[in-house]
Amino acid sequence: MGQRIGEGRLGMVWPGLNAPVLRGSELVRLQPTEPDPKRLERLAEARSKRGRFRRLKLNAFDRGWTGGKLGGRSVGSPDSVQDFDFSSFDTRVIEHRNVFKMTSTFGRKKSVRVFVVTGNGNGVAGFALGKGPTVQQAQRLAKNRAAQRLLFAERFEGRTVFHDFYQEYYFTKLWVERRPPGFGLQCHRIIRTLCQLVGIRDLYAKVEGSIHPQNLAKAFFLGLLKQETHAQLAERTGMHVIERSVLRQTFPVLLASPSHHVSASPGLERDVKELYAQGRIRLQKRRQPKFFEKLKSWHIRKRILLRRRNQSASQMERLSLLADTGVVTLYPKPFTAKTESA
């Protein structure tokens, strides 16, 4: 390495390799050259500059969905425009394809098409499609276009959507449901990437029909833009918006109230899912029985567990009786008011 042809320990002139065949009208012949005292120094310097080949390593969060493709990979922030800086934004590749076009002059002409989404993780995001002769040019064009088409999505408590919604885009059907804190993102990998760019941390989404990347992203953004806040829902329906969560033992919590008089009759309740589901029900697969449920030992275990069913609920009831009356009985006696005799 670092050694030229003909420059060995004994330098030689090789016509056609390190020397021309003809010099003017004379034929160059094979002959030794003068020794070079600095040859070993130049070889050591050239070999020290060229190190071992190492493959470029990416951060685990920047590798994308798969190691060998661009889907889900970060391509940096968009270029700044005038005084506005996009350094807080991150851009992810959603779709990358090689497209071809037949021309009459150049024949089959290749180009690259990239669909990206950019966002700052605080409710602002945008998407765009870029096309160019190389991957780098298409990515740069797409992310700069996405920065000029930003959208703002409302978030409940800065972590999830305000309500469940259903959205269609061509043959893509998307169901989105809000989840409590700490649930995480349980959805398609494209929806997970979009949620990270928008700033949504707790969400469940189910995709039915086509999973085309562009249609899936557009359906999700369309559903985010159509959602209503709790205050807007209360003003439109003229009813109080109340949440009953299992985390609070289904205790009602008031989220919003209308500014005008409540027009609904007392006792009337409407589920929020009925307002936004458009009369549709999400497809739920039938639970498949486990392999051990056919064994005899499993049926014996079920008979043993049958004796202790609802034990946790009974324990909570006994604790509440002990806190109220100070006595634990199997069946609490009904309360009767004491009357004083005249």
Side-chain angles (χ1 to χ4, degrees), residues 204-222:
Y204 173 81
K206 174 67 176 178
V207 183
E208 297 180 4
S210 174
I211 54 173
H212 192 274
Q214 296 186 33
N215 294 348
L216 190 55
K218 293 175 182 178
F220 182 69
F221 276 105
L222 196 59

Side-chain angles (χ1 to χ4, degrees), residues 88-122:
S88 60
F89 283 71
D90 186 23
T91 307
R92 298 278 177 170
V93 177
I94 304 300
E95 184 186 24
H96 166 263
R97 284 189 178 183
N98 296 327
V99 294
F100 298 88
K101 179 182 178 181
M102 278 309 281
T103 60
S104 59
T105 55
F106 299 102
R108 194 182 186 195
K109 187 178 179 181
K110 177 186 175 182
S111 59
V112 181
R113 188 182 67 186
V114 178
F115 181 75
V116 302
V117 177
T118 184
N120 63 348
N122 197 18

Side-chain angles (χ1 to χ4, degrees), residues 159 178-181 242-253:
R159 58 172 186 83
R178 56 176 292 188
R179 284 295 183 261
I242 298 175
E243 180 185 13
R244 296 179 180 271
S245 176
V246 182
L247 301 178
R248 302 187 183 94
Q249 303 297 327
T250 65
F251 186 81
V253 177

Side-chain angles (χ1 to χ4, degrees), residues 159 177-186 201-205:
R159 58 172 186 83
E177 299 178 3
R178 56 176 292 188
R179 284 295 183 261
F183 180 82
L185 298 174
Q186 186 177 350
R201 300 188 299 272
D202 304 309
L203 188 85
Y204 173 81

Side-chain angles (χ1 to χ4, degrees), residues 298-315:
W298 173 256
H299 294 284
I300 296 175
R301 175 180 171 80
K302 294 292 288 185
R303 286 197 297 267
I304 295 176
L305 293 177
L306 187 64
R307 306 169 188 171
R308 302 196 300 267
R309 66 185 185 276
N310 299 331
Q311 187 174 6
S312 58
S314 302
Q315 184 179 6

Side-chain angles (χ1 to χ4, degrees), residues 166-322:
Y166 168 80
Q167 186 61 47
E168 286 185 4
Y169 194 85
Y170 286 92
F171 297 102
T172 300
K173 303 175 183 179
L174 180 63
W175 298 85
V176 176
E177 299 178 3
R178 56 176 292 188
R179 284 295 183 261
F183 180 82
L185 298 174
Q186 186 177 350
C187 50
H188 194 273
R189 61 185 184 181
I190 295 179
I191 303 297
R192 187 189 306 116
T193 303
L194 299 180
C195 290
Q196 293 172 356
L197 295 174
V198 174
I200 297 176
R201 300 188 299 272
D202 304 309
L203 188 85
Y204 173 81
K206 174 67 176 178
V207 183
E208 297 180 4
S210 174
I211 54 173
H212 192 274
Q214 296 186 33
N215 294 348
L216 190 55
K218 293 175 182 178
F220 182 69
F221 276 105
L222 196 59
L224 290 180
L225 296 178
K226 285 185 177 180
Q227 67 175 343
E228 290 182 312
T229 62
H230 296 150
Q232 294 173 354
L233 178 61
E235 292 292 337
R236 183 172 64 88
T237 58
M239 303 174 63
H240 298 288
V241 180
I242 298 175
E243 180 185 13
R244 296 179 180 271
S245 176
V246 182
L247 301 178
R248 302 187 183 94
Q249 303 297 327
T250 65
F251 186 81
V253 177
L254 181 63
L255 298 178
S257 298
S259 59
H260 54 279
H261 179 69
V262 179
S263 58
S265 60
L268 177 62
E269 294 185 2
R270 297 184 63 183
D271 192 0
V272 178
K273 294 183 179 180
E274 299 177 358
L275 298 176
Y276 302 103
Q278 303 177 10
R280 295 176 174 84
I281 300 176
R282 179 170 61 87
L283 176 63
Q284 296 182 358
K285 294 183 180 180
R286 182 179 299 178
R287 177 183 173 274
Q288 297 295 332
K290 304 293 183 180
F291 69 94
F292 52 80
E293 294 183 5
K294 300 180 181 180
L295 301 178
K296 182 179 179 181
S297 58
W298 173 256
H299 294 284
I300 296 175
R301 175 180 171 80
K302 294 292 288 185
R303 286 197 297 267
I304 295 176
L305 293 177
L306 187 64
R307 306 169 188 171
R308 302 196 300 267
R309 66 185 185 276
N310 299 331
Q311 187 174 6
S312 58
S314 302
Q315 184 179 6
M316 294 298 295
E317 185 177 356
R318 289 194 296 269
L319 291 176
S320 61
L321 288 174
L322 182 62

